[in-house]
Amino acid sequence: MPILEAYGLTDAVLAALAELGGDDSQPARIITGVRQNYRVITAGGELPATATGRLQFDTDESADLPVAGDWVAARIFDDQAVIHQVLPRRTSLMRKSSGRGSAQQVLAANVDTLFIVQSLDRDFNLRRLERYLVMAREGGVEPVILLSKRDLHPEEDIPSFVAQAQAVSPDTPVLVYSAQDSSGVDAIRARLRPGQTFCLAGSSGVGKSTLINQLLGESRLATRPVREKDARGRHATTRRELILLPEGGVLIDTPGMRELGVLAEQSSLESTFPEIEALAPGCRYGDCRHQQEPGCAVRQAVESGDLPRSRYDSYLKLARELAYNATQADQLSRLKYRRAQKRLFKSYKVILQRKPRF
Ligand SMILES: Nc1nc2c(ncn2[C@@H]2O[C@H](COP(=O)(O)OP(=O)(O)OP(=O)(O)O)[C@@H](O)[C@H]2O)c(=O)[nH]1
Ligand SMILES: [Mg+2]
Ligand SMILES: [Zn+2]
């Protein structure tokens, strides 16, 4: 398989590149990097790369800068690539940047499948799982739930973990495995496909890099034991990176995330809580938010015990967070509009102030 096809090159990428015109640009995919310090894969192999000044400084949204998994238009000079355009993303995994405001951060682009990894220790948390599911759905990425470290529990305890994860998302595959004794790893390997892009995400220390090493059959990535006292990872992985699989296809390893602020449309929230969506038509008001409204079928289901309170609470919490982030995003885009206007005005001023030349 030619190298770029192994890395997932498709006709759609080539068509997008052709549409840009300029016959000296080539398709390249971002392996890793930020700002001025990227590595890309090109038809001729892996190269260091920088983004053109125009791309760096004329990009209003940092979310539009290249990230791991992006296909870009690049020009190649000697042993260096220059990225001049990010090609449209087919899918993207996005979260709210940590800290205040609601800027988005793109974690990875053009991912087909997101492996959401939780370990069967203190990390196992259904509410957090829901957040990752919303992120996948919002980005157009297929989720698969991986429960690691099954070796920490006696065999008879495992089905209950699987059932709990499955209940949160009935249509999503749930796979349990142990990287320690390799049990269940083959079932994960069976999901890998040439030409496809897989991403692993989850808290620090759940075993993302360890799993990738097993799938590769070599210890390529650094891993690190978790702290004894609170079972927390210590951020062994510090960058997002695309790794080519021996069978073709790529995996993106990501550093563990401490918090996952969601940025999503209401529809992604609803598809993560299908049972709430199914109840909503029974509410008295068409725009019921299932909070204080009279005649709310969702609240009735909570009171009668048909809908677990934990699911309802989790739904409300995420709905409020989405609403809050949406108003922040509105404010941000108004601010950006004003800034763009100012810039335009300044450039007019420069033109107007230019002395006529005869
Ligand atoms: N018992 C057990 N330990 C595991 C398993 N998988 C990984 N570990 C251990 O968990 C620790 C953390 O693994 P990593 O692969 O570094 O975790 P990570 O998710 O990549 O962490 P970050 O890079 O910090 O996000 C290492 O000491 C691994 O040996 C497993 O299935 N069972
Ligand atoms: Mg890691
Ligand atoms: Zn309601």
Side-chain angles (χ1 to χ4, degrees), residues 289-294 296 299 312 320:
R289 288 169 306 136
H290 322 309
Q291 295 182 18
Q292 309 304 330
E293 294 89 342
C296 173
R299 276 210 343 273
Y312 173 69
R320 289 200 190 108

Side-chain angles (χ1 to χ4, degrees), residues 4-10 13 29-31 41 67-71 90-93 107-115 140-144 191-200 241-245 248-254:
L4 285 185
E5 272 77 13
Y7 273 92
L9 182 67
T10 58
V13 172
R29 196 168 194 195
I30 307 284
I31 290 180
I41 185 80
V67 297
D70 261 324
W71 284 100
R90 193 167 42 80
T91 69
S92 54
L93 292 171
L107 299 172
N110 303 311
V111 172
D112 296 289
T113 304
L114 175 66
F115 289 129
V141 177
E142 204 66 52
V144 171
R191 295 197 159 260
L192 304 175
R193 299 269 178 283
Q196 297 235 319
T197 302
F198 302 83
C199 181
L200 281 97
E241 182 179 7
L242 214 82
I243 297 139
L244 182 65
L245 291 160
V250 288
L251 272 169
I252 301 178
D253 191 15
T254 67

Side-chain angles (χ1 to χ4, degrees), residues 276 279-280 282-285 287-291 293-299 312:
I276 290 180
L279 287 164
C283 297
R284 185 175 310 163
Y285 299 108
D287 60 350
C288 185
R289 288 169 306 136
H290 322 309
Q291 295 182 18
E293 294 89 342
C296 173
V298 174
R299 276 210 343 273
Y312 173 69

Side-chain angles (χ1 to χ4, degrees), residues 209 222 237 253:
S209 303
T237 304
D253 191 15

Side-chain angles (χ1 to χ4, degrees), residues 127-181:
R127 308 288 80 89
R128 185 157 358 91
L129 193 55
E130 286 161 348
R131 286 173 175 267
Y132 281 93
L133 289 164
V134 170
M135 174 171 77
R137 295 216 168 84
E138 177 67 14
V141 177
E142 204 66 52
V144 171
I145 299 168
L146 301 186
L147 303 178
S148 69
K149 310 195 186 183
R150 71 184 283 172
D151 53 277
L152 298 181
H153 295 273
E155 199 55 43
E156 64 269 22
D157 292 354
I158 303 299
S160 129
F161 287 113
V162 177
Q164 290 178 63
Q166 197 71 78
V168 160
S169 189
D171 300 330
T172 306
V174 179
L175 303 175
V176 218
Y177 75 98
S178 163
Q180 200 168 63
D181 60 20

Side-chain angles (χ1 to χ4, degrees), residues 14-333:
L14 292 173
L17 185 70
E19 209 160 282
L20 288 180
D23 33 39
D24 56 344
S25 36
Q26 301 190 16
R29 196 168 194 195
I30 307 284
I31 290 180
T32 187
V34 285
R35 293 282 154 196
Q36 267 312 54
N37 201 1
Y38 293 98
R39 292 198 70 79
V40 295
I41 185 80
T42 68
E46 195 177 320
L47 291 175
T50 56
T52 59
R54 191 181 53 75
L55 185 58
Q56 285 181 72
F57 302 115
D58 284 0
T59 312
D60 265 349
E61 281 268 18
S62 66
D64 295 336
L65 289 169
V67 297
D70 261 324
W71 284 100
V72 298
R75 293 199 181 97
I76 293 168
F77 305 94
D78 301 322
D79 291 330
Q80 166 93 23
V82 175
I83 302 162
H84 55 97
Q85 183 92 45
V86 177
L87 300 176
R89 291 173 180 146
R90 193 167 42 80
T91 69
S92 54
L93 292 171
M94 266 177 307
R95 69 160 174 177
K96 187 180 95 62
S97 303
S98 42
R100 294 209 295 148
S102 107
Q104 5 179 301
Q105 181 190 12
V106 182
L107 299 172
N110 303 311
V111 172
D112 296 289
T113 304
L114 175 66
F115 289 129
I116 302 168
V117 191
Q118 288 206 339
S119 53
L120 295 182
D121 50 18
R122 254 180 268 187
D123 182 63
F124 184 70
N125 182 311
L126 299 172
R127 308 288 80 89
R128 185 157 358 91
L129 193 55
E130 286 161 348
R131 286 173 175 267
Y132 281 93
L133 289 164
V134 170
M135 174 171 77
R137 295 216 168 84
E138 177 67 14
V141 177
E142 204 66 52
V144 171
I145 299 168
L146 301 186
L147 303 178
S148 69
K149 310 195 186 183
R150 71 184 283 172
D151 53 277
L152 298 181
H153 295 273
E155 199 55 43
E156 64 269 22
D157 292 354
I158 303 299
S160 129
F161 287 113
V162 177
Q164 290 178 63
Q166 197 71 78
V168 160
S169 189
D171 300 330
T172 306
V174 179
L175 303 175
V176 218
Y177 75 98
S178 163
Q180 200 168 63
D181 60 20
S182 296
S183 63
V185 173
D186 280 341
I188 300 170
R189 187 179 283 112
R191 295 197 159 260
L192 304 175
R193 299 269 178 283
Q196 297 235 319
T197 302
F198 302 83
C199 181
L200 281 97
S203 313
S204 182
V206 295
K208 300 178 293 296
S209 303
T210 306
L211 175 62
I212 295 179
N213 284 338
Q214 288 224 333
L215 294 170
L216 291 174
E218 57 174 307
S219 304
R220 179 124 37 114
L221 300 168
T223 62
R224 212 190 253 183
V226 296
R227 285 194 303 231
E228 288 281 330
K229 67 174 171 40
D230 55 4
R232 284 252 177 98
R234 290 183 287 192
H235 295 279
T237 304
T238 54
R239 58 181 198 173
R240 293 184 285 274
E241 182 179 7
L242 214 82
I243 297 139
L244 182 65
L245 291 160
E247 305 85 353
V250 288
L251 272 169
I252 301 178
D253 191 15
T254 67
M257 280 188 270
R258 211 176 298 257
E259 55 171 41
L260 182 60
V262 286
L263 274 178
E265 300 287 334
Q266 189 66 21
S267 59
S268 304
L269 181 67
E270 280 162 7
S271 54
T272 306
F273 294 87
E275 72 275 43
I276 290 180
E277 194 185 12
L279 287 164
C283 297
R284 185 175 310 163
Y285 299 108
D287 60 350
C288 185
R289 288 169 306 136
H290 322 309
Q291 295 182 18
Q292 309 304 330
E293 294 89 342
C296 173
V298 174
R299 276 210 343 273
Q300 263 159 32
V302 176
E303 270 142 40
S304 70
D306 288 342
L307 177 69
R309 182 165 292 276
S310 56
R311 277 291 269 184
Y312 173 69
D313 288 345
S314 185
Y315 172 87
L316 279 192
K317 186 154 182 273
L318 278 165
R320 289 200 190 108
E321 197 175 313
L322 292 189
Y324 175 77
N325 287 343
T327 48
Q328 295 274 304
D330 273 357
Q331 279 170 11
L332 204 73
S333 62

